[in-house]
Amino acid sequence: QVQLVESGGGLVQAGGSLRLSCAASGRTFSAHVMGWFRQAPGKEREFVAAISWSGGSTYYADSVKGRFTVSRDKAENTVYLQMNSLKPEDTAVYYCAARRGGVSRGQSSYDYWGQGTQVTVSS
């Protein structure tokens, strides 16, 4: 079992930055691929970024590429999402998720989910 708790969301002006954290419990955390997803009001949840179990490979949605960076600290059992140059369209609830196996952009393939953290970007 892996339990995930996100933090770091908040209100920020357009052009600003936030860093989301996802703290994981469970001895097998390091063996899991970690993903970040988001859901804006009235929209379906979408893929944002993912990182391999080793941390050596990262993947991003086109909409955030060059602005967001995903990383993981195995010693701290934590995954981060650094978000720079934020735009109003980045406003959403952000979720972290974990899965065994290879990296995937499909939310249905993730086994464990956090409760989400709200990010609001004002114009």
Side-chain angles (χ1 to χ4, degrees), residues 65-82:
K65 200 171 295 182
R67 300 187 297 123
F68 290 11
T69 303
V70 60
S71 61
R72 68 190 299 164
D73 184 334
K74 289 186 177 181
E76 296 294 328
N77 276 6
T78 302
V79 176
Y80 302 99
L81 185 67
Q82 177 67 44

Side-chain angles (χ1 to χ4, degrees), residues 1-3 24-32 72 74 77 100 112:
Q1 278 281 4
V2 176
Q3 293 183 327
S25 63
R27 292 181 296 174
T28 60
F29 166 73
S30 62
H32 285 75
R72 68 190 299 164
K74 289 186 177 181
N77 276 6
R100 288 275 203 170
Y112 306 101

Side-chain angles (χ1 to χ4, degrees), residues 29-34 50-59 71-74 101 103:
F29 166 73
S30 62
H32 285 75
V33 165
M34 300 299 297
I51 187 166
S52 62
W53 67 269
S54 69
S57 298
T58 55
Y59 305 83
S71 61
R72 68 190 299 164
D73 184 334
K74 289 186 177 181
V103 173

Side-chain angles (χ1 to χ4, degrees), residues 14-60:
S17 298
L18 281 175
R19 188 177 79 157
L20 305 184
S21 300
C22 174
S25 63
R27 292 181 296 174
T28 60
F29 166 73
S30 62
H32 285 75
V33 165
M34 300 299 297
W36 285 96
F37 294 80
R38 67 186 181 186
Q39 186 167 21
K43 295 187 177 181
E44 294 188 354
R45 191 158 54 185
E46 63 176 3
F47 170 79
V48 175
I51 187 166
S52 62
W53 67 269
S54 69
S57 298
T58 55
Y59 305 83
Y60 299 94

